Amino acid sequence: MEPWLLVTEDGEIPLPEALPDWDYQMDLHLRRTVRVDLRRARAQSGLPVEAALMLAAVWTATGSNLSGPAQHVRLTDDGTRGVDLDVLLRGADLGGLLLLDTALVLAERRHDARPSSPRRAGSVLWSDRATLRLQGDAPQFPMAVIDFARTSFPDGAAWHLQISGNLESATMGSLLLLINERSTVTAAAFKNAGKPGPVDRIVLSAVYADAARTMIEHALGLDDFVEEGDFPDGSLGATLVGLFDQLFPGRSITDIRLRRRQSPALFASDLQAAVKIFEGAR
């Protein structure tokens, strides 16, 4: 197989490890060529010469919890076949780590297969995976606007902050703010974030406050989030420590963790006051 290529306005470039300037409005156009020796593939898999195969490409985005088929090509001829994969992925469906799986599979069930050979449709004869980190080094808070109805998130939720990885993981690969496109007020607020109106400011303030609460509660729930923790620059741990120090200057992690455990309602009010909810909406 040839490597995946990213199609840009300036031409095609080899797929990089990360796209630091990516955002949800940026669609991805990808290409690659795979050459399949069909006779050899069938022979080494114990399949008859007439067995139909299929070359399939599938994408998965860890940030949006979405995946889907990118392209598939049925292969019934003999000899060596070159297959051009040409894929266009909507930016609104992506986020986090993009996984690109290419696989040669059995196209249809074989009832006459030998015990040691593939027989079920979709049996994988060969596979290859490429990865692309989206927003890996971006200075902005990583986010994506998606349709929650196509995910496991509640349809009626306006946003969801996704946190993954451990405290040593890179911040921009561990955090993703998902906006439900069905919540038109919320989606509009982020679209107008450069010049927000009065309603936009209220929504943005509420999302900021909720994101800060989620991050602090996530941190306090981890045993290794402690004062003496030494986290690398750019890591999730360093980001959470920075946020904690900003919201609770002069307070210890132990004290705040105890406050949350003993008086959760007061802790919620403390956090609300710390983030200064709606103060920026004036």
Side-chain angles (χ1 to χ4, degrees), residues 169-183:
S169 304
T171 299
M172 303 311 286
S174 302
L175 294 175
L176 182 66
L177 179 64
L178 299 171
I179 306 300
N180 188 358
E181 65 181 25
R182 296 190 175 216
S183 175

Side-chain angles (χ1 to χ4, degrees), residues 17-37:
E17 293 183 359
L19 283 180
D21 297 326
W22 181 88
D23 63 49
Y24 69 93
Q25 295 178 332
M26 182 188 298
D27 297 337
L28 296 182
H29 187 185
L30 305 166
R31 289 178 181 159
R32 89 179 308 185
T33 298
V34 180
R35 292 178 176 83
V36 185
D37 186 336

Side-chain angles (χ1 to χ4, degrees), residues 196-238:
V199 175
D200 299 327
R201 291 190 181 94
I202 293 173
V203 172
L204 293 172
S205 180
V207 176
Y208 168 75
D210 188 62
R213 175 194 59 79
T214 301
M215 292 171 66
I216 291 297
E217 290 189 338
H218 177 81
L220 294 176
L222 300 175
D223 293 337
D224 50 347
F225 184 71
V226 291
E227 276 86 5
E228 59 272 17
D230 185 16
F231 305 111
D233 292 341
S235 68
L236 178 62

Side-chain angles (χ1 to χ4, degrees), residues 75-220:
L75 305 171
T76 56
D77 43 358
D78 199 3
T80 300
R81 168 82 180 275
V83 181
D84 295 323
L85 300 175
D86 195 303
V87 178
L88 182 62
L89 302 178
R90 286 200 327 147
D93 293 334
L94 307 178
L97 190 67
L98 176 64
L99 310 177
L100 296 167
D101 290 301
T102 308
L104 182 67
V105 303
L106 186 61
E108 55 192 31
R109 183 175 179 85
R110 301 289 306 186
H111 297 283
D112 57 349
R114 293 180 296 178
S116 60
S117 63
R119 63 182 62 200
R120 295 181 178 178
S123 297
V124 178
L125 311 183
W126 167 90
S127 65
D128 165 76
R129 169 171 285 185
T131 61
L132 173 63
R133 183 168 295 281
L134 303 174
Q135 303 166 301
D137 301 308
Q140 75 272 18
F141 197 94
M143 60 168 290
V145 177
I146 63 173
D147 184 356
F148 277 23
R150 299 175 58 193
T151 71
S152 58
F153 305 126
D155 293 2
W159 64 82
H160 173 80
L161 179 63
Q162 185 165 282
I163 306 179
S164 61
N166 56 44
L167 293 177
E168 305 290 330
S169 304
T171 299
M172 303 311 286
S174 302
L175 294 175
L176 182 66
L177 179 64
L178 299 171
I179 306 300
N180 188 358
E181 65 181 25
R182 296 190 175 216
S183 175
T184 54
V185 173
T186 308
F190 279 88
K191 183 178 180 180
N192 302 330
K195 298 179 66 176
V199 175
D200 299 327
R201 291 190 181 94
I202 293 173
V203 172
L204 293 172
S205 180
V207 176
Y208 168 75
D210 188 62
R213 175 194 59 79
T214 301
M215 292 171 66
I216 291 297
E217 290 189 338
H218 177 81
L220 294 176

